[in-house]
Amino acid sequence: MDNIKKPASLEIQRKNYTDIFQLFLQNERLTKQNIVNALHLSLPTVTQNINLLCQQGLLCEAGTMGNTGGRRAMTYSFSADARIAIGVDITRNHVAIVAVDLRGAVFYKERVRKKFERCDDYYRFLGDMVRHCIEQIQCPEERILGVGIGVPGLVTADNQTVFYGEILHFTGETCANMSRYIPYPTALLNDASAAGFAETWINKDIKTAFYLMLSNNIGGAVIIDGSPYAGYHHHSGEVGHLCIERNGRPCYCGQKGCVDRYLAATELSDLTDGRLADFFALLEKKDPRALACWDTYLDDLALTNRNVHMLFDCPIILGGYVGEYIAPYMDEIRRRTGALDPFETDAEYLHACHYRTEAIAAGSALHFIVKFLETV
Ligand SMILES: [Zn+2]
Protein backbone atom coordinates (compact mmCIF):
# COMPACT_ATOMS: atom_id res chain seq x y z
CA MET A 1 0.00 0.00 0.00
CA ASP A 2 1.33 3.38 -0.94
CA ASN A 3 1.23 5.64 2.13
CA ILE A 4 3.26 8.47 0.61
CA LYS A 5 1.04 11.49 0.15
CA LYS A 6 1.12 12.58 -3.46
CA PRO A 7 1.09 16.28 -4.27
CA ALA A 8 -2.29 17.51 -5.48
CA SER A 9 -2.50 17.48 -9.23
CA LEU A 10 -2.38 20.78 -11.06
CA GLU A 11 -6.02 20.34 -11.89
CA ILE A 12 -7.01 20.03 -8.22
CA GLN A 13 -4.78 22.97 -7.25
CA ARG A 14 -6.50 25.04 -9.94
CA LYS A 15 -9.96 24.00 -8.73
CA ASN A 16 -9.13 24.84 -5.10
CA TYR A 17 -7.88 28.28 -6.12
CA THR A 18 -11.03 28.96 -8.18
CA ASP A 19 -13.40 27.64 -5.50
CA ILE A 20 -11.82 29.85 -2.84
CA PHE A 21 -12.01 32.91 -5.09
CA GLN A 22 -15.66 32.18 -5.97
CA LEU A 23 -16.49 31.86 -2.26
CA PHE A 24 -15.13 35.38 -1.72
CA LEU A 25 -17.36 36.69 -4.52
CA GLN A 26 -20.39 35.46 -2.57
CA ASN A 27 -19.29 36.63 0.90
CA GLU A 28 -18.24 39.99 2.30
CA ARG A 29 -15.55 38.66 4.67
CA LEU A 30 -14.16 35.22 5.45
CA THR A 31 -11.62 33.73 7.86
CA LYS A 32 -9.38 30.85 6.81
CA GLN A 33 -11.43 28.58 9.08
CA ASN A 34 -14.65 29.66 7.30
CA ILE A 35 -13.12 28.47 4.04
CA VAL A 36 -11.82 25.22 5.55
CA ASN A 37 -15.36 24.49 6.77
CA ALA A 38 -17.17 25.57 3.60
CA LEU A 39 -14.96 23.80 1.06
CA HIS A 40 -13.58 20.90 3.19
CA LEU A 41 -10.01 21.83 2.40
CA SER A 42 -6.97 21.62 4.68
CA LEU A 43 -5.73 24.75 6.46
CA PRO A 44 -2.34 24.71 4.65
CA THR A 45 -4.13 24.56 1.27
CA VAL A 46 -6.36 27.47 2.20
CA THR A 47 -3.41 29.50 3.53
CA GLN A 48 -1.37 28.89 0.39
CA ASN A 49 -4.20 30.04 -1.89
CA ILE A 50 -5.04 33.07 0.20
CA ASN A 51 -1.40 34.16 0.06
CA LEU A 52 -1.44 33.77 -3.71
CA LEU A 53 -4.70 35.73 -4.11
CA CYS A 54 -3.35 38.50 -1.85
CA GLN A 55 -0.12 38.70 -3.87
CA GLN A 56 -2.20 39.09 -7.03
CA GLY A 57 -4.17 41.90 -5.41
CA LEU A 58 -7.49 40.04 -5.62
CA LEU A 59 -7.85 39.65 -1.83
CA CYS A 60 -6.90 41.88 1.07
CA GLU A 61 -6.90 41.65 4.85
CA ALA A 62 -10.14 43.02 6.29
CA GLY A 63 -9.58 43.18 10.05
CA THR A 64 -10.07 40.56 12.72
CA MET A 65 -13.13 38.94 14.21
CA GLY A 66 -13.93 36.00 16.41
CA ASN A 67 -14.22 34.91 20.00
CA THR A 68 -13.35 37.04 22.98
CA GLY A 69 -10.44 35.69 24.98
CA GLY A 70 -8.64 33.55 22.43
CA ARG A 71 -6.72 34.81 19.43
CA ARG A 72 -8.89 36.73 17.06
CA ALA A 73 -8.95 35.44 13.50
CA MET A 74 -7.91 37.59 10.55
CA THR A 75 -10.61 38.04 7.94
CA TYR A 76 -10.06 38.54 4.23
CA SER A 77 -12.21 40.18 1.64
CA PHE A 78 -12.30 40.39 -2.09
CA SER A 79 -10.71 43.56 -3.60
CA ALA A 80 -13.50 44.75 -5.86
CA ASP A 81 -11.28 47.38 -7.46
CA ALA A 82 -8.48 44.93 -8.31
CA ARG A 83 -9.71 45.21 -11.89
CA ILE A 84 -12.22 47.53 -13.48
CA ALA A 85 -13.99 47.80 -16.81
CA ILE A 86 -15.41 50.76 -18.74
CA GLY A 87 -18.83 50.73 -20.40
CA VAL A 88 -20.04 53.13 -23.10
CA ASP A 89 -23.64 53.57 -24.24
CA ILE A 90 -24.10 55.15 -27.66
CA THR A 91 -27.49 56.52 -28.67
CA ARG A 92 -28.62 58.82 -31.45
CA ASN A 93 -28.00 62.00 -29.42
CA HIS A 94 -26.01 61.00 -26.31
CA VAL A 95 -22.97 59.12 -25.08
CA ALA A 96 -22.89 57.71 -21.54
CA ILE A 97 -19.82 56.23 -19.91
CA VAL A 98 -19.40 54.29 -16.65
CA ALA A 99 -16.63 52.59 -14.71
CA VAL A 100 -17.58 49.33 -13.01
CA ASP A 101 -15.71 47.26 -10.42
CA LEU A 102 -15.50 43.47 -10.06
CA ARG A 103 -18.74 43.39 -8.07
CA GLY A 104 -20.59 45.20 -10.85
CA ALA A 105 -20.92 48.45 -8.90
CA VAL A 106 -20.92 51.64 -10.98
CA PHE A 107 -18.48 54.07 -9.31
CA TYR A 108 -18.17 56.66 -12.04
CA LYS A 109 -20.66 57.86 -14.62
CA GLU A 110 -21.02 60.68 -17.10
CA ARG A 111 -23.52 61.41 -19.85
CA VAL A 112 -23.07 64.03 -22.55
CA ARG A 113 -25.14 65.20 -25.47
CA LYS A 114 -23.43 64.24 -28.73
CA LYS A 115 -25.11 63.39 -31.98
CA PHE A 116 -23.94 60.09 -33.46
CA GLU A 117 -22.06 60.38 -36.72
CA ARG A 118 -20.26 57.61 -38.50
CA CYS A 119 -17.02 59.57 -38.83
CA ASP A 120 -13.50 59.97 -37.47
CA ASP A 121 -14.40 63.04 -35.36
CA TYR A 122 -17.06 61.14 -33.47
CA TYR A 123 -14.78 58.17 -32.81
CA ARG A 124 -12.04 60.52 -31.62
CA PHE A 125 -14.63 61.98 -29.22
CA LEU A 126 -15.31 58.45 -27.85
CA GLY A 127 -11.57 57.99 -27.27
CA ASP A 128 -11.42 61.34 -25.45
CA MET A 129 -14.34 60.34 -23.22
CA VAL A 130 -12.65 57.07 -22.24
CA ARG A 131 -9.36 58.86 -21.51
CA HIS A 132 -11.17 61.48 -19.40
CA CYS A 133 -12.99 58.78 -17.45
CA ILE A 134 -9.74 56.96 -16.64
CA GLU A 135 -8.09 60.21 -15.57
CA GLN A 136 -11.01 60.94 -13.25
CA ILE A 137 -11.01 57.55 -11.56
CA GLN A 138 -7.18 57.51 -11.38
CA CYS A 139 -6.97 53.84 -12.22
CA PRO A 140 -3.58 52.27 -13.08
CA GLU A 141 -3.52 51.03 -16.68
CA GLU A 142 -2.86 47.41 -15.72
CA ARG A 143 -6.16 47.19 -13.84
CA ILE A 144 -8.31 48.10 -16.85
CA LEU A 145 -9.83 45.00 -18.39
CA GLY A 146 -11.48 46.62 -21.40
CA VAL A 147 -14.13 48.90 -22.82
CA GLY A 148 -17.56 47.52 -23.74
CA ILE A 149 -19.53 49.63 -26.24
CA GLY A 150 -23.32 49.25 -26.13
CA VAL A 151 -25.03 50.15 -29.41
CA PRO A 152 -28.64 50.25 -30.66
CA GLY A 153 -28.00 47.56 -33.23
CA LEU A 154 -27.53 43.83 -33.61
CA VAL A 155 -23.96 42.62 -33.34
CA THR A 156 -22.21 39.44 -34.44
CA ALA A 157 -21.35 36.68 -31.94
CA ASP A 158 -17.70 37.79 -31.84
CA ASN A 159 -18.79 41.30 -30.71
CA GLN A 160 -16.94 42.85 -33.64
CA THR A 161 -19.49 43.93 -36.26
CA VAL A 162 -22.90 45.60 -36.40
CA PHE A 163 -24.95 43.48 -38.80
CA TYR A 164 -28.23 45.39 -38.39
CA GLY A 165 -28.00 49.05 -37.44
CA GLU A 166 -31.00 50.81 -38.96
CA ILE A 167 -31.54 53.10 -35.95
CA LEU A 168 -28.15 54.81 -36.36
CA HIS A 169 -27.74 53.85 -40.03
CA PHE A 170 -24.44 52.15 -39.27
CA THR A 171 -25.01 48.60 -40.51
CA GLY A 172 -21.61 47.02 -41.24
CA GLU A 173 -19.69 49.24 -38.82
CA THR A 174 -16.91 47.43 -36.94
CA CYS A 175 -15.58 47.53 -33.42
CA ALA A 176 -12.05 48.11 -34.72
CA ASN A 177 -13.19 51.23 -36.55
CA MET A 178 -15.32 52.64 -33.72
CA SER A 179 -12.61 52.08 -31.13
CA ARG A 180 -9.64 53.31 -33.14
CA TYR A 181 -8.88 55.92 -30.44
CA ILE A 182 -9.45 53.57 -27.47
CA PRO A 183 -6.18 51.85 -26.49
CA TYR A 184 -7.76 48.92 -24.59
CA PRO A 185 -9.53 45.69 -25.53
CA THR A 186 -12.99 46.58 -26.86
CA ALA A 187 -16.23 44.79 -27.70
CA LEU A 188 -19.58 45.79 -29.21
CA LEU A 189 -22.73 44.77 -27.36
CA ASN A 190 -26.40 45.03 -28.29
CA ASP A 191 -27.92 47.66 -25.97
CA ALA A 192 -30.94 45.72 -24.67
CA SER A 193 -28.94 42.55 -24.23
CA ALA A 194 -26.28 44.40 -22.22
CA ALA A 195 -28.91 46.10 -20.05
CA GLY A 196 -30.84 42.88 -19.45
CA PHE A 197 -27.63 41.13 -18.52
CA ALA A 198 -26.75 43.92 -16.04
CA GLU A 199 -30.18 43.67 -14.40
CA THR A 200 -29.92 39.92 -13.82
CA TRP A 201 -26.25 40.11 -12.78
CA ILE A 202 -27.04 42.55 -9.98
CA ASN A 203 -30.23 40.80 -8.83
CA LYS A 204 -29.47 37.59 -6.96
CA ASP A 205 -33.11 36.42 -7.11
CA ILE A 206 -33.80 36.87 -10.83
CA LYS A 207 -31.48 34.93 -13.12
CA THR A 208 -33.97 34.11 -15.85
CA ALA A 209 -36.00 37.03 -17.16
CA PHE A 210 -37.19 39.00 -20.13
CA TYR A 211 -35.83 42.55 -20.22
CA LEU A 212 -38.09 45.08 -21.93
CA MET A 213 -36.21 48.26 -22.82
CA LEU A 214 -38.61 51.17 -23.11
CA SER A 215 -36.34 53.83 -24.64
CA ASN A 216 -36.70 55.96 -27.77
CA ASN A 217 -36.63 52.63 -29.54
CA ILE A 218 -37.85 49.40 -28.02
CA GLY A 219 -35.45 46.57 -27.34
CA GLY A 220 -35.67 43.31 -25.52
CA ALA A 221 -33.44 40.55 -24.23
CA VAL A 222 -34.01 36.99 -23.13
CA ILE A 223 -31.76 36.10 -20.18
CA ILE A 224 -31.62 32.42 -19.22
CA ASP A 225 -29.72 31.38 -16.08
CA GLY A 226 -27.80 34.64 -16.18
CA SER A 227 -26.79 34.43 -19.85
CA PRO A 228 -28.39 36.29 -22.77
CA TYR A 229 -30.07 33.92 -25.22
CA ALA A 230 -29.07 35.44 -28.55
CA GLY A 231 -31.02 33.17 -30.87
CA TYR A 232 -29.75 31.36 -33.97
CA HIS A 233 -29.04 34.62 -35.80
CA HIS A 234 -28.54 37.02 -32.89
CA HIS A 235 -31.90 38.73 -33.06
CA SER A 236 -33.92 37.00 -30.36
CA GLY A 237 -35.99 39.14 -27.99
CA GLU A 238 -36.71 41.81 -30.62
CA VAL A 239 -39.95 42.68 -28.88
CA GLY A 240 -40.02 46.08 -30.61
CA HIS A 241 -41.15 44.32 -33.77
CA LEU A 242 -43.90 42.17 -32.31
CA CYS A 243 -47.10 43.26 -33.97
CA ILE A 244 -49.83 44.61 -31.68
CA GLU A 245 -52.00 46.15 -34.40
CA ARG A 246 -52.50 44.62 -37.82
CA ASN A 247 -52.01 47.31 -40.49
CA GLY A 248 -51.12 49.69 -37.69
CA ARG A 249 -48.57 52.51 -37.62
CA PRO A 250 -45.57 52.12 -39.98
CA CYS A 251 -42.31 51.05 -38.32
CA TYR A 252 -38.73 51.82 -39.38
CA CYS A 253 -38.26 48.07 -40.01
CA GLY A 254 -40.67 48.32 -42.98
CA GLN A 255 -43.60 46.57 -41.29
CA LYS A 256 -46.72 47.99 -39.66
CA GLY A 257 -48.17 47.87 -36.15
CA CYS A 258 -44.86 47.07 -34.39
CA VAL A 259 -44.59 47.58 -30.61
CA ASP A 260 -41.80 50.09 -31.30
CA ARG A 261 -44.33 52.57 -32.69
CA TYR A 262 -46.57 52.37 -29.58
CA LEU A 263 -44.15 52.03 -26.64
CA ALA A 264 -41.21 54.22 -27.70
CA ALA A 265 -40.52 56.80 -24.97
CA THR A 266 -41.07 59.47 -27.62
CA GLU A 267 -44.79 58.57 -27.61
CA LEU A 268 -44.76 60.30 -24.21
CA SER A 269 -42.00 62.89 -24.54
CA ASP A 270 -43.41 64.27 -27.83
CA LEU A 271 -45.91 66.03 -25.59
CA THR A 272 -43.12 67.88 -23.77
CA ASP A 273 -40.64 68.79 -26.53
CA GLY A 274 -38.70 65.57 -26.16
CA ARG A 275 -38.16 65.90 -22.42
CA LEU A 276 -39.37 62.72 -20.71
CA ALA A 277 -38.83 64.10 -17.18
CA ASP A 278 -41.24 66.95 -18.04
CA PHE A 279 -43.83 64.46 -19.23
CA PHE A 280 -43.79 62.62 -15.89
CA ALA A 281 -43.92 65.95 -14.03
CA LEU A 282 -47.07 66.83 -16.03
CA LEU A 283 -48.48 63.40 -15.29
CA GLU A 284 -47.95 63.90 -11.60
CA LYS A 285 -49.87 67.17 -11.83
CA LYS A 286 -52.70 65.20 -13.47
CA ASP A 287 -52.54 67.20 -16.68
CA PRO A 288 -55.42 65.82 -18.84
CA ARG A 289 -53.31 65.46 -22.02
CA ALA A 290 -50.55 63.61 -20.16
CA LEU A 291 -53.13 61.40 -18.42
CA ALA A 292 -54.77 60.47 -21.74
CA CYS A 293 -51.42 59.73 -23.38
CA TRP A 294 -50.29 57.61 -20.38
CA ASP A 295 -53.59 55.71 -20.33
CA THR A 296 -53.12 54.60 -23.95
CA TYR A 297 -49.45 53.83 -23.34
CA LEU A 298 -50.27 51.61 -20.33
CA ASP A 299 -52.83 49.62 -22.31
CA ASP A 300 -50.29 49.02 -25.09
CA LEU A 301 -47.66 48.12 -22.49
CA ALA A 302 -50.03 45.70 -20.75
CA LEU A 303 -50.76 43.95 -24.06
CA THR A 304 -47.05 43.66 -24.82
CA ASN A 305 -46.29 42.34 -21.31
CA ARG A 306 -49.02 39.76 -21.67
CA ASN A 307 -47.69 38.56 -25.05
CA VAL A 308 -44.15 38.27 -23.71
CA HIS A 309 -45.35 36.44 -20.60
CA MET A 310 -47.38 33.96 -22.62
CA LEU A 311 -44.19 33.00 -24.47
CA PHE A 312 -41.66 32.95 -21.65
CA ASP A 313 -43.49 32.52 -18.31
CA CYS A 314 -40.71 34.34 -16.47
CA PRO A 315 -40.13 37.68 -14.69
CA ILE A 316 -40.31 40.72 -16.98
CA ILE A 317 -38.08 43.67 -16.09
CA LEU A 318 -39.23 47.07 -17.37
CA GLY A 319 -36.25 49.30 -18.11
CA GLY A 320 -34.97 51.90 -20.55
CA TYR A 321 -35.80 55.62 -20.44
CA VAL A 322 -39.38 55.01 -19.28
CA GLY A 323 -38.11 52.45 -16.75
CA GLU A 324 -36.37 55.28 -14.91
CA TYR A 325 -39.77 56.72 -13.91
CA ILE A 326 -41.88 53.60 -13.78
CA ALA A 327 -41.62 52.45 -10.14
CA PRO A 328 -44.63 54.47 -8.81
CA TYR A 329 -46.84 53.08 -11.58
CA MET A 330 -46.02 49.37 -11.16
CA ASP A 331 -49.24 48.51 -9.31
CA GLU A 332 -51.35 49.95 -12.13
CA ILE A 333 -49.23 48.20 -14.79
CA ARG A 334 -49.61 44.88 -12.92
CA ARG A 335 -53.37 45.45 -12.69
CA ARG A 336 -53.78 46.11 -16.41
CA THR A 337 -51.44 43.28 -17.44
CA GLY A 338 -53.03 40.83 -15.00
CA ALA A 339 -56.48 41.62 -16.45
CA LEU A 340 -55.21 40.27 -19.81
CA ASP A 341 -53.34 37.28 -18.42
CA PRO A 342 -55.30 34.01 -18.26
CA PHE A 343 -52.81 32.36 -15.89
CA GLU A 344 -51.44 34.95 -13.46
CA THR A 345 -53.96 37.69 -12.83
CA ASP A 346 -51.78 39.46 -10.24
CA ALA A 347 -48.91 39.86 -12.80
CA GLU A 348 -46.43 39.73 -9.93
CA TYR A 349 -43.80 38.77 -12.51
CA LEU A 350 -43.46 42.43 -13.56
CA HIS A 351 -40.50 44.30 -12.04
CA ALA A 352 -39.17 47.83 -12.31
CA CYS A 353 -35.51 47.99 -13.35
CA HIS A 354 -32.69 48.23 -10.77
CA TYR A 355 -30.33 50.47 -12.78
CA ARG A 356 -32.34 53.59 -13.42
CA THR A 357 -30.13 55.15 -16.06
CA GLU A 358 -26.88 53.35 -16.73
CA ALA A 359 -27.91 49.74 -17.40
CA ILE A 360 -26.61 49.59 -20.99
CA ALA A 361 -23.20 51.05 -20.15
CA ALA A 362 -22.89 48.91 -16.99
CA GLY A 363 -23.87 45.77 -18.89
CA SER A 364 -21.34 46.57 -21.61
CA ALA A 365 -18.59 46.90 -18.98
CA LEU A 366 -19.72 43.66 -17.33
CA HIS A 367 -18.83 41.84 -20.55
CA PHE A 368 -15.17 42.23 -19.52
CA ILE A 369 -15.75 41.73 -15.78
CA VAL A 370 -17.46 38.38 -16.36
CA LYS A 371 -14.77 37.21 -18.77
CA PHE A 372 -12.13 38.03 -16.16
CA LEU A 373 -13.96 36.36 -13.27
CA GLU A 374 -14.38 33.21 -15.35
CA THR A 375 -10.64 32.95 -15.87
CA VAL A 376 -9.63 33.31 -12.20
ZN1 LIG B 1 -40.88 47.03 -36.73
Side-chain angles (χ1 to χ4, degrees), residues 36-283:
V36 167
N37 296 344
L39 299 177
H40 308 293
L41 295 172
S42 72
L43 187 59
T45 299
V46 169
T47 301
Q48 187 188 15
N49 281 291
I50 284 191
N51 290 345
L52 189 57
L53 285 160
C54 285
Q55 279 166 22
Q56 292 167 337
L58 292 168
L59 290 188
C60 57
E61 292 185 348
T64 57
M65 69 175 195
N67 51 28
T68 51
R71 219 177 69 175
R72 292 168 67 82
M74 175 59 72
T75 66
Y76 297 85
S77 76
F78 166 57
S79 305
D81 62 352
R83 302 287 187 282
I84 66 123
I86 308 288
V88 178
D89 170 16
I90 291 176
T91 65
R92 203 177 285 138
N93 293 310
H94 292 90
V95 181
I97 189 165
V98 300
V100 168
D101 69 18
L102 288 179
R103 284 198 198 276
V106 172
F107 63 95
Y108 173 87
K109 62 179 172 181
E110 188 186 4
R111 186 167 184 262
V112 294
R113 196 169 173 86
K114 177 80 180 171
K115 196 172 167 54
F116 176 81
E117 282 176 282
R118 194 175 173 177
C119 66
D120 190 70
D121 268 2
Y122 184 86
Y123 298 146
R124 188 188 296 274
F125 177 82
L126 290 186
D128 288 346
M129 265 192 96
V130 170
R131 202 180 58 240
H132 180 250
C133 166
I134 288 166
E135 279 167 14
Q136 292 297 307
I137 61 178
Q138 298 185 328
C139 181
E141 296 273 321
E142 64 274 15
R143 288 194 190 172
I144 299 163
L145 295 171
V147 181
I149 304 172
V151 294
L154 298 174
V155 300
T156 50
D158 61 3
N159 303 99
Q160 292 304 308
T161 308
V162 177
F163 70 83
Y164 184 86
E166 291 311 295
I167 293 171
L168 296 185
H169 306 294
F170 70 147
T171 299
E173 187 56 289
T174 63
C175 189
N177 200 34
M178 292 179 78
S179 63
R180 65 177 86 154
Y181 296 104
I182 301 176
Y184 305 99
T186 49
L188 294 177
L189 288 303
N190 167 256
D191 52 3
S193 186
F197 179 70
E199 290 288 343
T200 53
W201 161 274
I202 210 79
N203 189 327
K204 285 194 165 52
D205 300 322
I206 301 179
K207 290 299 165 202
T208 292
F210 190 91
Y211 179 76
L212 177 51
M213 189 182 77
L214 303 165
S215 292
N216 285 353
N217 288 107
I218 301 301
V222 185
I223 313 291
I224 299 173
D225 287 336
S227 301
Y229 168 71
Y232 272 50
H233 303 100
H234 281 255
H235 54 77
S236 85
E238 279 295 322
V239 64
H241 306 290
L242 280 185
C243 179
I244 54 170
E245 188 183 3
R246 223 158 76 84
N247 292 319
R249 302 172 192 166
C251 176
Y252 69 88
C253 74
Q255 298 296 320
K256 286 181 176 172
C258 291
V259 164
D260 198 284
R261 283 303 315 274
Y262 299 81
L263 294 188
T266 47
E267 291 298 313
L268 307 173
S269 61
D270 278 354
L271 203 65
T272 45
D273 289 332
R275 288 185 294 271
L276 194 60
D278 290 358
F279 173 84
F280 280 96
L282 269 189
L283 188 61

